Amino acid sequence: MRGPPQKVIWIVLSPPPIAAKLSAVTKAAHYPGNTVSAPARGPLPWSAALLGLALCGLLAACGGGKQIVRRPPPSQPVRVWPHVDPENPGAANSVLMRAFSLVGTPYRYGGNTPEGGFDCSGLVNYVYRDMLALSLPRTSRDLAGYQGPRIDPMRLAAGDLVFFGSSGNVSHVGIYVGEGRFVHAPSSGGTVRLDRLDGPYWRDHYSGAKRVLRRN
């Protein structure tokens, strides 16, 4: 004979607050097989700290903050250099061939020979003297004042001298070879080389040209 039904009482325990859980983990938890409480948490390892910083940076980047976009400076238009026949083609060809043969010669301040090296005006002097027995002024400033007409950039011909400087002062000279290019001895530590008049530095510092090779 069955007795009266027994009542089942369910006791629902609410979970402890999150803070209480974290406190319990920190203060009362222990390692398996050990009854010693877990050590209190110290500073985060450096790897975790770096990861946190990286995540903060990522969240900041994704948050739609103002970003600075740097645009490259506008490029200069490329000039088309017309071919202009030199007034003395034979002399101009001799000058060009000798100038090209000296490409790679080391720069030396005050130098004027292939063995000792060249500075800019020393190179010009050597080429014209060696090939044409033509004596020219020694410095770039004096070469700019040498007799002969000034040439418009679009009328440059092989063998013309091109000058560079700033604030009205000439400080560099080279030999024009055609197609917007010139041979020169640029600077200490460098060598005689071929450059373009439209190069970033040379275009901004171009100061004029002179024609020293004239008709016979």
Side-chain angles (χ1 to χ4, degrees), residues 36-129:
V36 180
S37 298
R41 292 186 178 182
L44 288 174
W46 66 270
S47 57
L50 288 179
L51 178 59
L53 290 175
L55 289 175
C56 289
L58 181 60
L59 291 174
C62 296
K66 184 178 181 180
Q67 298 181 2
I68 299 175
V69 179
R70 293 184 175 87
R71 296 180 179 179
S75 59
Q76 294 284 353
V78 178
R79 283 187 287 186
V80 178
W81 296 88
H83 172 77
V84 178
D85 291 326
E87 295 185 18
N88 190 333
N93 186 64
S94 297
V95 165
L96 263 59
M97 293 302 100
R98 192 68 178 110
F100 282 134
S101 74
L102 297 171
V103 169
T105 304
Y107 176 94
R108 184 172 72 85
Y109 180 76
N112 58 4
T113 65
E115 297 76 20
F118 293 106
D119 62 12
C120 64
S121 57
L123 172 68
V124 170
N125 270 260
Y126 176 81
V127 169
Y128 283 84
R129 184 177 65 251

Side-chain angles (χ1 to χ4, degrees), residues 99 102-113 116-127 138 140 162 164 171-176 182-195 201-202:
L102 297 171
V103 169
T105 304
Y107 176 94
R108 184 172 72 85
Y109 180 76
N112 58 4
T113 65
F118 293 106
D119 62 12
C120 64
S121 57
L123 172 68
V124 170
N125 270 260
Y126 176 81
V127 169
R138 180 60 180 86
S140 57
V162 287
F164 308 87
S171 58
H172 192 65
V173 62
I175 301 171
Y176 186 74
F182 64 105
V183 173
H184 65 138
S187 61
S188 180
T191 60
V192 175
R193 71 177 191 232
L194 187 68
D195 271 323
Y201 178 86
W202 307 113

Side-chain angles (χ1 to χ4, degrees), residues 85-89 91 155 211-216:
D85 291 326
E87 295 185 18
N88 190 333
R155 298 301 301 164
R211 180 159 296 163
V212 297
L213 299 180
R214 308 302 300 275
R215 293 186 178 90
N216 291 332

